[in-house]
């Protein structure tokens, strides 16, 4: 007996992984076309919108009963490069080995697209009418900044999301462990991109003659200052929820540290101590409690024997919810001096208010499916397509729940060699997503 593809999520994921959608250049059209066909086969009307024909975006709306606001399920099919990575398996071979699917995008985020697509296909095929419209949105170009995907859709075609109040996408949901406790972070906020450029100047001259305090020396001093100092501590409302929730379930030593992080007078010292102790959470908490910058690109000098008089430095800045690019630049001036001028290369502000209206439903469903797990609110230091939907007043939740086994290091293979996902974790996510669609809009849940 032939089964529907939504009953075979592993097969669907393996098919998606086999499409090489490495970005750049992306070339997501064939992958998007395949998914479009699946959705049309169950009677769903679909819309394909593109800024570039080779980089389309797919929107399908499962009509609801009009008893709840619309819910966007949003994901991307582009993936990062595998260049200069040493893979044990063909990154686009989608090998199934010992219950695990290997391949680029198996975690980020073709597994998430599989979960969403299976849930919508099932609902449509079985004639389920949800309380509110379900707007499945599958996009290109997240990995390079969303210009051809979420940015294009939300800026040029906001009517596609008319009536939506919530969105679910990537950024959380993969099981993590604190001691023996399994927990699922549910992302309710993310930091904003704020990439900056500054020019450092000084006297130039012939390389054969010693020169002190030139542009190179100033650059060295600036980088040393950034390396040895943090920007000010900010404990945002999301962290005031996340850290106590972690502390409630963490082993004693981690619980004490989590609560200490809430006190700005102790935050940095606690982070330093966690790093000394080798706590893997130290680096991520550092990012979530400060506006941050990292020097990433240096351009200066054209000849070995000529001392440059100008150097350009690019900084990857990330701004906490509730803060602006002006706040970040002001903090940099306080640390580095007011003589530096900062030009914004890219800034993606987003709605900083958090609507927790869907949180109880997501938490309840996952904790029912995994009684030993707990769901906690979280924030991420990177960006997702969710930031674009927030501009439309849509609260995004990063939540693609996968019940990963102990010892699985999700972050170690995302964007790295040997990316892979256990079939059991994928099936858990499909079940969770289908249950969300079944129960969305119930009075006791959302």
């Amino acid at each position: 007996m032939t089964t529907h593809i939504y009953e075979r999520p592993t097969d669907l994921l393996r098919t998606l992984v086999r499409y090489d959608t490495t970005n750049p250049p992306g070339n997501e059209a064939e992958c998007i076309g395949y998914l479009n066909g699946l959705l049309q086969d169950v009677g769903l009307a679909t819309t394909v919108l593109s800024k570039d024909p080779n980089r389309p975006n797919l929107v399908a709306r499962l009509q609801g009963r009009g008893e709840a606001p619309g819910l966007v399920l949003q994901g991307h099919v582009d993936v990062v490069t595998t260049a200069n990575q040493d893979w044990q398996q063909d990154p686009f071979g989608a090998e199934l080995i010992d219950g695990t699917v290997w391949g680029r995008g198996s975690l980020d985020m073709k597994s998430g697209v599989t979960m969403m697509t299976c849930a919508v296909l099932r609902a449509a095929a079985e004639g389920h009418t949800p309380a509110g419209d379900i707007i499945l949105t599958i996009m290109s170009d997240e990995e390079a900044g969303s210009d051809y995907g979420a940015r294009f859709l939300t800026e040029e075609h906001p009517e596609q999301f008319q009536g939506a109040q919530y969105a679910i996408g990537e950024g959380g949901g993969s099981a993590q462990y604190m001691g023996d406790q399994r927990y699922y972070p549910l992302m309710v906020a993310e930091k904003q991109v704020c990439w900056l450029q500054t020019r450092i100047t000084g006297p130039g001259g012939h390389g054969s003659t010693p020169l002190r305090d030139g542009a190179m020396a100033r650059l060295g001093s600036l980088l040393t200052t950034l390396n040895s100092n943090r920007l000010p501590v900010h404990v945002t409302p999301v962290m005031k929820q996340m850290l106590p929730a972690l502390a409630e379930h963490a082993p004693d030593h981690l619980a004490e540290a989590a609560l200490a992080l809430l006190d700005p007078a102790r935050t940095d010292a606690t982070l330093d101590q966690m790093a000394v102790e080798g706590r893997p959470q130290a680096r991520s908490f550092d990012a979530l409690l400060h506006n941050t910058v990292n020097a990433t690109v240096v351009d200066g000098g054209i000849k070995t024997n000529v001392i440059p008089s100008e150097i350009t430095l690019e900084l990857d800045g990330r701004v906490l919810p509730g803060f602006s690019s002006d706040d970040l630049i002001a903090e940099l001036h306080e640390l580095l001096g007011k003589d530096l001028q900062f030009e914004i290369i890219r800034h993606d502000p987003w709605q900083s208010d958090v609507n927790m209206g869907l949180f109880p439903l997501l938490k309840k469903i996952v904790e029912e499916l995994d009684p030993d797990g707990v769901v906690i609110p979280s924030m991420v230091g990177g960006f997702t397509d969710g930031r674009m939907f927030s501009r439309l007043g849509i609260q995004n939740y990063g939540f693609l729940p996968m019940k990963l086994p102990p010892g699985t290091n999700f972050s170690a293979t995302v964007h790295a060699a040997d990316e892979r996902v256990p079939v059991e974790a994928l099936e858990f996510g499909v079940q969770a997503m289908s249950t969300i669609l079944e129960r969305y809009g119930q009075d006791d849940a959302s």
Side-chain angles (χ1 to χ4, degrees):
M1 179 178 176
T2 302
T3 57
H4 299 286
I5 190 65
Y6 60 77
E7 299 174 293
R8 297 179 280 114
T10 300
D11 290 344
L12 177 55
L13 173 60
R14 294 180 71 193
T15 299
L16 297 183
V17 169
R18 291 187 183 111
Y19 289 106
D20 184 350
T21 51
T22 301
N23 185 9
N27 290 334
E28 299 94 341
E30 191 174 355
C31 183
I32 293 286
Y34 169 73
L35 290 166
N36 190 28
L38 295 179
L39 293 162
Q40 291 181 344
D41 285 347
V42 296
L44 285 173
T46 63
T47 302
V48 176
L49 298 164
S50 60
K51 185 176 180 179
D52 177 333
N54 293 319
R55 317 210 60 190
N57 305 282
L58 173 63
V59 182
R61 185 180 286 252
L62 176 64
Q63 293 293 330
R65 303 191 300 271
E67 299 171 3
L71 171 64
V72 178
L73 305 182
Q74 55 91 5
H76 65 91
V77 294
D78 63 309
V79 298
V80 298
T81 184
T82 59
N84 301 316
Q85 295 180 351
D86 185 15
W87 284 70
Q88 297 180 52
Q89 306 295 333
D90 177 358
F92 299 103
E95 298 293 336
L96 179 60
I97 302 171
D98 297 329
T100 298
V101 177
W102 291 63
R104 174 58 83 230
S106 58
L107 286 172
D108 184 12
M109 67 163 293
K110 289 177 177 177
S111 55
V113 170
T114 297
M115 294 176 203
M116 297 172 183
T117 302
C118 285
V120 171
L121 288 174
R122 177 183 294 278
E126 297 180 353
H128 173 64
T129 304
D133 289 0
I134 306 299
I135 308 165
L136 178 63
T137 307
I138 303 172
M139 296 169 288
S140 299
D141 198 37
E142 190 273 345
E143 298 292 2
S146 313
D147 288 347
Y148 291 88
R151 184 189 299 275
F152 165 73
L153 282 182
T154 55
E155 291 183 355
E156 302 297 327
H157 298 281
E159 73 283 351
Q160 295 294 324
F161 310 103
Q162 186 73 31
Q165 184 173 352
Y166 304 114
I168 296 176
E170 66 178 340
S174 296
Q176 301 179 25
Y177 291 83
M178 296 176 292
D180 295 329
Q181 177 64 62
R182 182 166 53 250
Y183 71 99
Y184 298 84
L186 196 168
M187 182 196 83
V188 297
E190 58 188 84
K191 293 179 79 174
Q192 309 165 33
V193 169
C194 187
W195 295 344
L196 303 171
Q197 178 177 279
T198 189
R199 288 177 173 80
I200 303 162
T201 60
H206 199 288
S208 64
T209 305
L211 176 67
R212 312 296 179 203
D213 301 321
M216 283 291 188
R218 291 191 65 202
L219 171 65
S221 176
L222 184 155
L223 295 177
T224 299
T225 300
L226 286 178
N227 183 63
S228 50
N229 293 274
R230 295 183 176 96
L231 297 179
V233 174
H234 302 292
V235 183
T236 61
V238 172
M239 296 305 288
K240 290 177 181 177
Q241 296 183 65
M242 179 181 177
L243 290 171
L246 277 172
E248 181 181 351
H249 301 285
D252 289 345
H253 62 283
L254 286 178
E256 182 180 349
L259 293 176
L261 292 173
L262 288 167
D263 179 1
R266 296 192 291 161
T267 299
D268 287 347
T270 302
L271 290 170
D272 290 340
Q273 183 60 35
M274 291 177 69
V276 168
E277 295 172 356
R279 306 291 178 196
Q281 303 91 347
R283 190 176 178 192
S284 60
F285 284 151
D286 202 336
L288 301 181
L289 291 160
H290 306 82
N291 296 321
T292 57
V293 291
N294 276 300
T296 53
V297 179
V298 177
D299 184 18
I302 57 173
K303 202 166 184 292
T304 303
N305 65 344
V306 176
I307 300 171
S309 58
E310 181 176 290
I311 298 169
T312 301
L313 175 67
E314 294 184 15
L315 300 162
D316 183 342
R318 305 295 171 113
V319 185
L320 292 165
F323 293 83
S324 68
S325 57
D326 289 342
D327 295 323
L328 175 63
I329 291 172
E331 291 181 358
L332 288 173
H333 279 151
E334 188 67 26
L335 178 64
L336 301 174
K338 300 187 185 302
D339 58 324
L340 287 174
Q341 299 299 312
F342 293 98
E343 174 188 348
I344 296 175
I345 302 173
R346 183 183 190 118
H347 180 43
D348 292 334
W350 78 306
Q351 178 181 310
S352 60
D353 294 336
V354 174
N355 180 344
M356 297 292 284
L358 197 60
F359 183 89
L361 173 66
L362 304 181
K363 176 179 173 68
K364 185 175 183 180
I365 288 173
V366 171
E367 291 181 355
E368 286 177 358
L369 293 174
D370 180 8
D372 295 327
V374 294
V375 175
I376 64 168
S378 69
M379 177 167 58
V380 297
F383 67 76
T384 74
D385 280 334
R387 73 198 192 282
M388 297 300 173
F389 290 92
S390 75
R391 297 177 176 187
L392 301 180
I394 298 172
Q395 170 64 49
N396 182 71
Y397 299 88
F399 199 57
L400 303 174
M402 291 190 287
K403 187 179 178 182
L404 298 171
T408 303
N409 190 337
F410 178 92
S411 60
T413 59
V414 170
H415 289 200
D418 297 336
E419 184 179 354
R420 57 197 185 273
V421 63
V423 167
E424 183 179 356
L426 175 69
E427 292 176 343
F428 180 89
V430 172
Q431 185 178 4
M433 198 63 62
S434 291
T435 307
I436 290 168
L437 297 198
E438 291 170 7
R439 292 169 56 180
Y440 176 66
Q442 292 182 10
D443 291 341
D444 66 343
S446 65

